[in-house]
Amino acid sequence: MTHPTSRRNMLRSLFGGIGGLGLASVLSREEAQASTVGHYTGPRMLSKARHVINLVLSGGPSQVDLLDPKPALARHEGQRPGSVELRTERQTGGLLPTPFQFRPRGESGIEVSEMLPQLASVIDDICVIRSMYSFNPTHTPAVSLWHTGTVLLNRPSIGSWVSYGLGSENDDLPSFVALGGGGSATRSGFLPAQHQGTPFNHSELDPVNMIPDLQNKWTDQLAQRRQLDAQQALNREYSQTFGADEYLEGRIQSMESAYRMQFAALDAFDVRKESAAIREEYGSGTFANGCLLARRLVERGVRYVHVGFSGWDDHKDLEKNYRKNCPAMDQAAAALIRDLKRRGLLDETIVVWGGEFGRTPVSESGTGRDHNPYGYTMWVAGGGFRGGLAYGATDEFGFKAIENRVSIHDLHATMLYALGMDHTRLTYRYAGRDFRLTDVLGEVVNDIIQ
Amino acid sequence: VFLFLSLTLFTAPPDQAPDFAFFESKIRPVLVGKCYKCHSSNLPAPKGDFALDTKDGLLKGGATGVAIVPGKPGESRLLMALRYADTDLQMPPSGKLPDTVIADFEQWLAAGAPDPRTAPLASAVATAPQGMSVEEGRKWWAFQPLEVVAPPPTRDSRPAKNVIDAFIVSKLEQQGLSPSPEADPRTLVRRVYVDLVGFKPNYEEIEAFLADPSPLAYENLVDRLLASPHYGERWGRHWMDVARFGEDNPTGEATNPAYPFAWRYRDWIIEAVNQDVPYDRFVKLQLAADLIPGTPRADLRALGYLGAAPVYHKDLRLSEQVIGGFLTDDWDERIDATTRGLLAITVACARCHDHKFDPIPTADYYGLMGVFASTMRAERPLFDVEPEVETRFAWLQNRLFDLAYSVNLLTNEASTVVDSASRVARWKAEIETLKQEALGLQEKYPQLVAKLERYWSPPGQRRQADDAVNNGSRRRRNSASTEPFTNAVFEAAQYLDGSDPQFTFIHYKAGEARDMPLLKTGNLATPGEIVPRHFPTVLAQSDPSFKQGSGRLELAERIFSDAAPLAARVIVNRVWGWHMGRPLVGTPSDFGVQGEMPTHLELLDNLAARFIQHGWSLKWLHREIMMSATYGQASQPREDGVRLDVANLLVWRMNPRRLDIETYRDTLLRLSGRMNERMFGPSEDLQSPRNVRRTVYSRVSRGRQNSLLKNYDFPDAMQSAGGRDLTVTPLQQLFVMNSEFMHEAAAELAAATSSEAESDARLQFLFRRVLGREPTRRELELALDFLQGGSLEQYAQVLLSTNEEIFWP
């Protein structure tokens, strides 16, 4: 039972208050900024990570063609041993060997596919998790599982939880930015709306075209400043007459933030401000720009950046498609790791890579692979995760995770741990109970963090 | 989802009744483990028509006769089957059970086959919940009967305007506080407009009120606005938050396409609110309009509450477990929406285990799930159709959809499903049979046949083909239709058929109802007892079971009989919150232990009791609240109030707020002279610059929420919303500073000033139009300064952007 004047009441007045902002103390600018302070109240873990960049390869990249070599596939080509009788989305055929060569790379000697030469060059900074598993073989629920920990399409995403837990480091930018991707990827669910992922269309290079209403098409900067000054004069008069009020004061500050955001975003979201050498290192294309933008954003204090790269749903023609799509992905992801490291940002940034599931080692339609939630690979770099480690294993054909299995909830718990939070203590009360990102599940995987 | 929850351990304590202990320890585990798989009432067609998961079913026997004769093991065919004595009847088919187990059955049959499963409700109640027991729960404040509590005496010398004030002032006095003085008339008239019709009044409307010398001026204003059609647009939208109104589904895939007639449900809400349909009837129609005798067909639109609810996509190639997970998630959503939305109890917390805090055993959850597992969505005609034909039409829609969708899946996909050709042939044959049946309706009901045609016309021929049948997710942005149909539901029990290892079918048994098994830890793989459909035990005043059909109508009726006190408290609390800016119970969708206690319980009870006495009339309730001095208070901060009660729980002032997005946008449209006041009809895209209709007529998407709505805290239509967190963020201000919408409004206003010649007259015009008042001398000077280097249009935008405009004191 809760006393009516509880802290929760203060923080979460459903009506009339500013979400996340205490009704109690009002009005000074210092306190108004409390809206960007985190709500995590559990014990702080020893950790270095403060940001997350999530590289989301939607469709589901194939582990046995990229990071989980399975020589047995070639030996049993076309066969269907009993261990592959697992129901996926569609009917599948016999075992399909990878057309790509693997060899040990880096000091760690982790075996990497020839499709990922650039990532292979930074493999000693990467923690490869070969024993991921999930629960659902169709895209939408599986995507939701990755982002929110449940197939229910109404729960907050991990980016919203991180924003809610840690708050923002930069008032002039949203704390959770999504470059490609919406729906469950950006949903804040029952968490206050300021923690939702703000989508930006990064297929455009000019920030003005990426962000709705970022610039005024009819008024120049100087005139707009005059407008804002005139408005704020009226606002202050109004506050004088009305009296102290957190909303009125909050909006005065927020107007200034928005005004600054126009320029901060123009700068932050413009990859063209990078040197030619850096841009060349990342490569060209939407994903490359997204990775580079992600680095610029975490540099400026954005908590969580989602970078989407769709088109990894290869039910057929996998080899042809990989030869076309892998180089751009490989180059940009590797450049991101190198770039963060050079700038000393890798330790404080978790870069997590993967799809909503992996793919079957058995073929679909002869040249492709079906969805596989039983076992797949994700990788994590930076943020205190152990580089040069290949963790866990799938069965001899790469279908099912069998050794050191890691669920999505486990990885979420570990990411929150790396960000300094106990996943069982990051909670939000809603509809009669305290909700968590990891629901009643999730174990921190100690072996993959330093 | 069941897999995530499977770690939540729940162990039912053994039944203490000594007669039943043997059954519990020796018999039941065998039945569950060895027999339920084929002989459960949870299956569409139990083998041999024999379901032994209920006592009734076990006693009744199956197609081949009686299975057990209590007290006479020798005459019990069940025992013969277990013994493998007869080669034609050997159970279980997987292999003979150990002799010791067979001996147990013999002993149990000899003892008269004691079987406790007739009273799952009683046994569920008897289990010790982890939280509050049902008995304890009956004492919880929210479940108490209502009485008209007399208002307490106050020391306040001013005459109380009505009883609300006595309750409020009495509590304030106890804390050494007093109410605030009456708000100035200008603030008051704005408050009432925003509150009742959802936009600020214009200058003329304000002045007319200020100039009205009648002592009844305020009362007349309230009455006039309550009678305005705009009232329904404002208060209908409040209800739409609770009803999680949306016009599509989160993903819009083949089996969960957009709802082309959801707008009709929205229109129905607005009409019903305008007509002040009594709240009990208003809700009953939304749950069961089709089951209430004598209901006009137009009221079928109310069923959008269930018929346009969010559903998950079900790819029928997936396993029974996966499809079953999505189906139960759909039903879970209905349980959550109805129990939190209508009763402020969080029954969905009891899906995996007894509620950890509230008196809600898991059996109560599955007792409601049966209701929704017996309720299927369908598009229903708004014209008269014979009941049997209509039911068959509803069934045909669902069956034909599944068949056409399945044919499509196995034909168009690069699928290698074994024997796909024979499956497709079988399904096509069934489509053909159903087509012939449907064509029999051609003469009498051509519109019904036209609606079904899409399922059998070859793709090349069907210009009107339903995109949903095509595999993939071709999302049409505007799926609205004006055909004479509405998104509704009908009575049909749904069962999963997993007998084909490659394909899972859902069977719809029209006109039938089913009970759900209790799923321990929410896991479909471990079905437990069958739970008869029933009303939550703690609320039931007599036998809680539902007897008619799905139980939907009984559910609706019992909310307003057995649970009437709670239902009245819940809506009165919501309405108070929408008026006052803070409800009396701070968690309006959770009156349970985890929710907040009411700040003014006696006031809530007094209002709720009189609300029922006044025929559940919302307009009565509005008047009662708005005629109070409490409502008319000023909202300015006061030193003593801030010091003693900063959260204003005691209501020493009106809560000042910002406008919500509908009210803000509508106000800007109206004051700039751009609003199109046409009511009703298919929704329009909020993004379109040509859309100048009220915001309530903008499309509400569950999959692609409009960014303006999202930025301004419009609720996610995936779940019932009890209130909105009104945040203030820079992204909101980017809209104010830079959007085309604001630009258009400012341009329109600037153009309208051309009737005035002089700058100060133009500025005065702008102040009147936008802020509804004269500028002060200082404001005029500042504005004239601005015009030295800026345009009138720019200044119009300044005024539209001010705090004063978006604030609601």
Side-chain angles (χ1 to χ4, degrees):
Chain A
M1 198 183 303
T2 317
H3 191 263
T5 51
S6 67
R7 180 175 166 279
R8 166 159 60 93
N9 203 336
M10 297 296 186
L11 290 175
R12 286 202 53 225
S13 69
L14 279 168
F15 293 78
I18 299 174
L21 214 174
L23 280 166
S25 51
V26 216
L27 306 190
S28 73
R29 171 155 168 73
E30 291 69 31
E31 280 159 330
Q33 284 181 333
S35 66
T36 60
V37 162
H39 293 269
Y40 175 69
T41 52
R44 297 293 301 195
M45 308 296 150
L46 284 171
S47 68
K48 298 181 203 158
R50 291 157 54 219
H51 312 282
V52 178
I53 297 174
N54 186 5
L55 308 180
V56 180
L57 277 69
S58 56
S62 169
Q63 67 277 17
V64 296
D65 295 296
L66 298 176
L67 288 156
D68 192 11
K70 293 293 169 184
L73 292 178
R75 292 198 299 274
H76 299 273
E77 179 168 2
Q79 297 170 7
R80 253 186 103 80
S83 66
V84 302
E85 291 299 340
L86 293 171
R87 187 162 178 174
T88 52
E89 186 182 65
R90 308 176 187 193
Q91 185 75 12
T92 52
L95 289 167
L96 177 71
T98 180
F100 310 122
Q101 299 299 313
F102 278 78
R103 65 185 176 90
R105 301 299 302 262
E107 280 181 26
S108 56
I110 295 173
E111 286 191 73
V112 181
S113 159
E114 62 180 320
M115 282 292 95
L116 305 176
Q118 297 289 326
L119 282 168
S121 74
V122 291
I123 198 70
D124 290 335
D125 290 314
I126 291 177
C127 173
V128 179
I129 307 169
R130 287 174 171 158
S131 52
M132 289 298 302
Y133 68 97
S134 175
F135 303 107
N136 197 301
T138 36
H139 292 295
T140 303
V143 166
S144 178
L145 268 165
W146 166 249
H147 291 296
T148 70
T150 153
V151 297
L152 300 174
L153 297 168
N154 57 20
R155 297 285 162 79
S157 66
I158 178 173
S160 298
W161 279 109
V162 170
S163 167
Y164 166 76
L166 297 179
S168 169
E169 288 184 346
N170 185 341
D171 271 356
D172 299 342
L173 291 172
S175 59
F176 173 18
V177 168
L179 303 172
S184 54
T186 55
R187 201 180 283 275
S188 57
F190 42 70
L191 294 177
Q194 74 257 37
H195 302 298
Q196 76 200 0
T198 305
F200 294 92
N201 174 12
H202 70 306
S203 66
E204 300 276 353
L205 277 182
D206 187 339
V208 173
N209 298 323
M210 292 168 64
I211 307 164
D213 301 331
L214 181 63
Q215 299 281 298
N216 194 305
K217 296 189 189 77
W218 305 273
T219 313
D220 65 31
Q221 205 183 111
L222 205 65
Q224 196 178 45
R225 184 67 246 180
R226 287 190 79 235
Q227 277 183 304
L228 187 52
D229 290 342
Q231 191 212 136
Q232 299 286 39
L234 291 171
N235 289 345
R236 281 189 294 274
E237 294 270 313
Y238 188 79
S239 288
Q240 287 272 313
T241 322
F242 184 81
D245 182 87
E246 65 166 1
Y247 175 74
L248 294 176
E249 188 59 29
R251 191 165 182 274
I252 287 173
Q253 305 299 343
S254 173
M255 274 288 167
E256 296 298 333
S257 284
Y259 182 77
R260 291 194 305 269
M261 185 183 284
Q262 301 180 105
F263 315 114
L266 269 189
D267 174 57
F269 284 86
D270 198 343
V271 294
R272 296 169 304 184
K273 300 201 166 174
E274 294 286 334
S275 71
I278 287 281
R279 292 195 63 192
E280 207 166 296
E281 186 179 359
Y282 280 80
S284 60
T286 305
F287 184 67
N289 291 338
C291 287
L292 185 44
L293 268 181
R295 193 222 75 213
R296 290 179 67 83
L297 293 174
V298 300
E299 238 173 0
R300 286 161 177 78
V302 173
R303 276 293 170 213
Y304 200 103
V305 187
H306 166 117
V307 186
F309 190 177
S310 59
W312 298 88
D313 189 24
D314 298 293
H315 288 281
K316 58 180 178 184
D317 299 331
L318 184 139
E319 179 181 356
K320 193 175 88 192
N321 297 340
Y322 274 36
R323 292 199 187 278
K324 194 174 100 215
N325 291 331
C326 281
M329 183 275 290
D330 178 53
Q331 180 179 358
L336 176 62
I337 293 174
R338 278 193 296 263
D339 196 10
L340 287 170
K341 197 171 179 181
R342 280 197 300 268
R343 289 163 195 262
L345 287 168
L346 189 58
D347 280 347
E348 61 184 63
T349 306
I350 299 170
V351 182
V352 55
W353 174 103
E356 64 267 36
F357 35 52
R359 304 207 81 83
T360 55
V362 285
S363 88
E364 182 188 340
S365 60
T367 58
R369 303 183 187 277
D370 194 14
H371 310 161
N372 176 13
Y374 298 100
Y376 61 101
T377 299
M378 292 186 73
W379 60 251
V380 192
F385 281 77
R386 283 176 59 190
L389 174 72
Y391 184 78
T394 48
D395 59 30
E396 69 169 321
F397 304 117
F399 210 146
K400 193 171 180 177
I402 53 168
E403 190 185 300
N404 291 328
R405 286 158 56 84
V406 179
S407 72
I408 285 170
H409 300 104
D410 295 335
L411 185 51
H412 283 169
T414 312
M415 288 166 67
L416 293 184
Y417 181 90
L419 290 161
M421 296 183 279
D422 174 351
H423 69 107
T424 67
R425 301 286 293 273
L426 179 62
T427 63
Y428 190 82
R429 179 154 304 172
Y430 172 76
R433 67 183 177 99
D434 287 335
F435 280 84
R436 282 165 35 189
L437 171 62
T438 51
D439 197 10
V440 295
L441 305 168
E443 294 279 344
V444 173
V445 186
N446 287 307
D447 292 345
I448 61 175
I449 39 182
Q450 288 160 4
Chain B
V1 69
F2 46 88
L3 285 166
F4 310 153
L5 303 165
S6 59
L7 291 187
T8 321
L9 292 174
F10 172 85
T11 344
D15 200 300
Q16 297 306 309
D19 282 342
F20 299 141
F22 189 80
F23 176 86
E24 294 295 349
S25 61
K26 303 284 187 187
I27 305 300
R28 187 201 296 262
V30 181
L31 295 178
V32 172
K34 298 289 179 185
C35 312
Y36 281 18
K37 192 160 173 261
C38 302
H39 297 287
S40 165
S41 51
N42 185 32
L43 299 168
K47 289 251 169 82
D49 202 19
F50 180 38
L52 44 61
D53 55 342
T54 63
K55 183 178 183 181
D56 284 351
L58 187 55
L59 284 172
K60 198 176 98 209
T64 55
V66 171
I68 64 165
V69 181
K72 298 182 179 168
E75 293 172 32
S76 298
R77 284 165 54 80
L78 176 75
L79 195 61
M80 286 165 62
L82 293 179
R83 284 178 171 152
Y84 271 51
D86 179 346
T87 46
D88 290 336
L89 184 63
Q90 298 183 336
M91 288 289 160
S94 56
K96 194 177 168 206
L97 297 173
D99 289 345
T100 52
V101 173
I102 298 173
D104 289 340
F105 269 82
E106 185 175 357
Q107 189 184 338
W108 172 67
L109 286 163
D115 184 343
R117 295 178 299 171
T118 42
L121 296 186
S123 66
V125 172
T127 64
Q130 299 165 23
M132 193 189 279
S133 74
V134 168
E135 281 316 310
E136 280 177 274
R138 290 189 196 276
K139 298 177 197 138
W140 183 248
W141 72 267
F143 306 146
Q144 299 311 302
L146 276 176
E147 47 187 314
V148 183
V149 188
T154 60
R155 291 193 301 273
D156 195 9
S157 53
R158 284 172 298 179
K161 272 191 167 176
N162 67 21
V163 295
I164 289 172
D165 301 326
F167 285 107
I168 296 292
V169 172
S170 155
K171 279 224 169 186
L172 284 171
E173 285 176 348
Q174 286 168 27
Q175 301 297 318
L177 277 167
S178 58
S180 291
E182 187 174 46
D184 68 273
R186 203 174 273 281
T187 300
L188 216 48
V189 60
R190 286 189 181 132
R191 181 180 298 171
V192 171
Y193 263 83
V194 169
D195 198 1
L196 285 183
V197 293
F199 45 73
K200 288 194 168 182
N202 61 32
Y203 180 76
E204 291 73 26
E205 288 161 336
I206 295 170
E207 293 302 314
F209 174 72
L210 299 181
D212 187 344
S214 162
L216 296 176
Y218 176 78
E219 203 168 342
N220 290 339
L221 176 70
V222 169
D223 286 340
R224 192 165 56 74
L225 294 181
L226 278 173
S228 156
H230 293 313
Y231 156 77
E233 294 172 323
R234 168 68 160 159
W235 282 79
R237 185 53 248 180
H238 284 319
W239 179 254
M240 286 157 73
D241 280 12
V242 177
R244 39 79 174 111
F245 173 83
E247 302 183 63
D248 61 6
N249 276 301
T251 56
E253 288 160 297
T255 70
N256 65 349
Y259 296 112
F261 308 106
W263 61 271
R264 291 198 194 277
Y265 173 45
R266 177 249 287 140
D267 284 358
W268 180 86
I269 292 174
I270 293 172
E271 288 169 26
V273 171
N274 270 335
Q275 292 162 13
D276 200 19
V277 170
Y279 176 72
D280 55 343
R281 180 166 171 80
F282 178 69
V283 169
K284 285 180 196 175
L285 287 170
Q286 292 177 69
L287 286 172
D290 56 329
L291 305 176
I292 300 174
T295 303
R297 284 204 80 81
D299 279 343
L300 287 185
R301 294 175 299 161
L303 292 171
Y305 180 79
L306 297 173
V311 294
Y312 291 97
H313 172 55
K314 296 163 198 83
D315 183 330
L316 298 176
R317 288 169 301 187
L318 301 178
S319 70
E320 184 185 353
Q321 289 290 307
V322 175
I323 299 294
F326 287 125
L327 261 186
T328 48
D329 285 349
D330 287 348
W331 300 332
D332 176 77
E333 193 282 332
R334 304 318 162 255
I335 294 172
D336 182 61
T338 50
T339 59
R340 279 198 304 119
L342 308 175
L343 294 167
I345 52 174
T346 53
V347 174
C349 290
R351 185 176 184 175
C352 306
H353 45 68
D354 289 345
H355 200 295
K356 292 204 175 181
F357 305 98
D358 293 338
I360 302 164
T362 312
D364 279 357
Y365 175 89
Y366 288 95
L368 282 178
M369 185 174 266
V371 174
F372 298 110
S374 307
T375 300
M376 184 62 205
R377 67 191 161 137
E379 292 175 0
R380 295 184 64 156
L382 288 172
F383 47 89
D384 279 328
V385 181
E386 294 149 67
E388 311 77 61
V389 173
E390 189 177 359
T391 300
R392 189 65 182 167
F393 168 71
W395 179 86
L396 280 168
Q397 269 176 50
N398 283 291
R399 181 64 184 170
L400 280 167
F401 177 92
D402 284 359
L403 289 167
Y405 165 65
S406 305
V407 166
N408 205 292
L409 273 183
L410 294 200
T411 312
N412 292 1
E413 288 277 313
S415 178
T416 52
V417 166
V418 182
D419 291 336
S420 65
S422 72
R423 284 188 180 81
V424 167
R426 198 166 69 238
W427 296 333
K428 279 186 168 169
E430 189 181 342
I431 291 175
E432 184 58 31
T433 310
L434 297 177
K435 171 186 169 184
Q436 293 309 325
E437 180 194 338
L439 289 176
L441 299 171
Q442 180 66 40
E443 200 160 319
K444 199 163 179 196
Y445 299 115
Q447 282 170 300
L448 297 188
V449 181
K451 202 104 185 84
L452 298 173
E453 248 165 15
R454 71 196 70 187
Y455 302 122
W456 59 69
S457 309
Q461 292 174 16
R462 50 167 198 240
R463 299 288 304 164
Q464 302 289 318
D466 188 350
D467 277 352
V469 180
N470 297 322
N471 187 46
S473 53
R474 278 172 56 199
R475 272 174 267 198
R476 276 177 297 174
R477 286 178 68 80
N478 186 356
S479 59
S481 166
T482 53
E483 292 173 309
F485 290 86
T486 198
N487 286 109
V489 291
F490 75 115
E491 298 269 282
Q494 295 147 73
Y495 293 89
L496 278 176
D497 179 355
S499 56
D500 180 341
Q502 303 299 335
F503 228 83
T504 303
F505 260 101
I506 304 167
H507 288 296
Y508 314 98
K509 296 197 171 180
E512 291 186 22
R514 67 166 297 185
D515 292 320
M516 286 296 292
L518 189 148
L519 304 176
K520 284 177 185 171
T521 69
N523 190 343
L524 280 162
T526 55
E529 296 307 323
I530 294 291
V531 183
R533 301 183 302 289
H534 70 275
F535 197 61
T537 322
V538 71
L539 299 175
Q541 303 298 325
S542 58
D543 173 14
S545 38
F546 294 146
K547 313 270 189 217
Q548 310 154 19
S550 65
R552 215 162 12 100
L553 179 56
E554 289 159 286
L555 168 63
E557 281 171 344
R558 295 190 77 152
I559 287 173
F560 293 99
S561 54
D562 296 43
L566 178 59
R569 283 185 181 105
V570 169
I571 187 64
V572 166
N573 184 59
R574 290 193 194 282
V575 170
W576 178 278
W578 287 319
H579 278 299
M580 299 296 302
R582 191 188 187 287
L584 296 168
V585 180
T587 50
S589 293
D590 183 5
F591 280 20
V593 174
Q594 292 283 90
E596 292 177 12
M597 292 296 284
T599 52
H600 300 77
L601 176 59
E602 294 80 10
L603 170 58
L604 179 61
D605 280 4
N606 175 291
L607 279 175
R610 289 190 299 132
F611 175 63
I612 296 176
Q613 286 172 0
H614 286 85
W616 302 84
S617 163
L618 289 173
K619 288 194 180 181
W620 172 84
L621 184 56
H622 295 310
R623 266 187 125 265
E624 195 65 14
I625 293 171
M626 296 179 78
M627 290 305 155
S628 70
T630 301
Y631 178 86
Q633 290 180 94
S635 62
Q636 271 91 350
R638 268 167 37 206
E639 190 279 331
D640 59 340
V642 171
R643 182 162 40 80
L644 294 169
D645 175 24
V646 67
N648 195 30
L649 298 175
L650 299 173
V651 207
W652 50 266
R653 62 165 167 167
M654 181 58 146
N655 289 299
R657 284 162 274 177
R658 80 149 158 84
L659 301 182
D660 58 29
I661 182 57
E662 296 95 324
T663 315
Y664 187 42
R665 180 176 173 277
D666 292 355
T667 295
L668 295 174
L669 277 177
R670 191 165 184 266
L671 297 182
S672 62
R674 299 174 70 228
M675 183 189 279
N676 174 350
E677 294 191 5
R678 187 165 61 83
M679 295 178 74
F680 306 129
S683 301
E684 291 182 29
D685 189 353
L686 193 60
Q687 219 64 31
S688 162
R690 289 191 311 279
N691 178 4
V692 289
R693 298 185 61 196
R694 294 201 68 180
T695 312
V696 72
Y697 300 114
S698 291
R699 191 166 306 115
V700 179
S701 172
R702 296 190 171 109
R704 300 177 166 191
Q705 201 182 2
N706 175 277
S707 63
L708 177 62
L709 298 180
K710 202 164 157 180
N711 284 338
Y712 276 93
D713 311 303
F714 189 87
D716 184 351
M718 284 298 289
Q719 51 204 327
S720 172
R724 299 187 187 182
D725 275 308
L726 295 179
T727 63
V728 49
T729 68
L731 289 174
Q732 294 167 359
Q733 320 317 338
L734 285 180
F735 167 78
V736 173
M737 291 198 295
N738 298 332
S739 68
E740 182 169 5
F741 181 90
M742 291 299 277
H743 169 73
E744 291 284 329
E748 190 81 24
L749 280 166
T753 60
S754 59
S755 57
E756 305 291 340
E758 301 299 325
S759 282
D760 37 2
R762 289 181 166 190
L763 285 167
Q764 185 187 36
F765 176 95
L766 278 183
F767 268 86
R768 285 179 172 185
R769 277 290 287 274
V770 180
L771 299 178
R773 64 175 176 84
E774 307 292 339
T776 64
R777 182 194 299 268
R778 182 173 149 69
E779 283 168 339
L780 197 58
E781 280 166 15
L782 286 169
L784 284 166
D785 273 356
F786 181 88
L787 290 186
Q788 297 299 313
S791 67
L792 264 174
E793 183 182 316
Q794 287 170 357
Y795 199 73
Q797 186 165 1
V798 167
L799 292 180
L800 290 168
S801 307
T802 52
N803 277 356
E804 185 175 350
E805 187 71 356
I806 198 174
F807 203 51
W808 184 23

